[in-house]
Amino acid sequence: MILFDKPTASKIQSSVGRAIPETGGIIGSKNGVICKFYYDYMGYSTSAYYMPSTAVEAVIRLWHSQGYTFEGFIHSHVGRFSPTETDIKYSLEVLRWYEDEFGLCKEEILIPIVESVWNSNEFRIYGFLADKAGELLRCKTKV
């Protein structure tokens, strides 16, 4: 289960949840709760693709220095509410960078997908994680 604190879920809803699809950011945790979110307003987006900006590396380093754990990427899609193969591949590359950068070992990376109000009148976060083998697993989310 992916557990979000309420302020973080609200930040995601007011940014990614209201923006046109294919926007996103990164999420971080402390004590197993997602309590950090960086909206990647400089990320590269098209109508079918979101690629994080290089700014996320600096944010990940800052969070690490403050005792937060980088957990993954959250972004919205158009009409598809699960990560793509490209999402999984990129996320695993960043996971390897994160482990090398900080000397850590993580078994998985989170890749939740947001259903924005552009797609429907509802905001939802669909929980997904990818393990190191690239297997995608669905998981529940809770605020």
Side-chain angles (χ1 to χ4, degrees):
M1 176 179 292
I2 304 172
L3 183 59
F4 292 85
D5 72 7
K6 194 169 184 98
T8 303
S10 293
K11 288 177 186 174
I12 294 166
Q13 183 175 9
S14 66
S15 56
V16 178
R18 298 208 184 283
I20 58 172
E22 297 300 339
T23 59
I26 57 174
I27 51 177
S29 73
K30 191 173 260 190
N31 301 320
V33 177
I34 302 298
C35 56
K36 285 296 215 182
F37 169 66
Y38 170 75
Y39 180 56
D40 187 19
Y41 62 91
M42 295 186 304
Y44 175 75
S45 296
T46 69
S47 61
Y49 188 74
Y50 161 69
M51 174 59 76
S53 71
T54 57
V56 300
E57 287 183 16
V59 175
I60 291 169
R61 285 186 182 103
L62 175 64
W63 287 356
H64 182 77
S65 73
Q66 296 171 338
Y68 296 96
T69 302
F70 165 69
E71 295 292 354
F73 296 93
I74 186 165
H75 69 286
S76 57
H77 277 178
V78 177
R80 176 188 169 125
F81 303 110
S82 64
T84 64
E85 289 297 318
T86 302
D87 294 335
I88 295 166
K89 182 180 175 186
Y90 180 78
S91 295
L92 290 173
E93 287 174 13
V94 175
L95 177 62
R96 285 188 288 279
W97 167 84
Y98 181 74
E99 290 180 321
D100 290 345
E101 182 77 12
F102 300 109
L104 300 171
C105 182
K106 288 180 59 85
E107 296 303 315
E108 60 206 20
I109 189 164
L110 301 180
I111 317 172
I113 301 295
V114 170
E115 181 175 7
S116 74
V117 294
W118 282 79
N119 292 323
S120 71
N121 289 328
E122 293 188 52
F123 165 77
R124 290 190 186 125
I125 300 175
Y126 297 90
F128 293 92
L129 63 84
D131 66 16
K132 286 185 175 178
E135 184 175 340
L136 186 66
L137 303 169
R138 180 83 193 258
C139 50
K140 293 182 179 186
T141 61
K142 184 177 179 182
V143 176

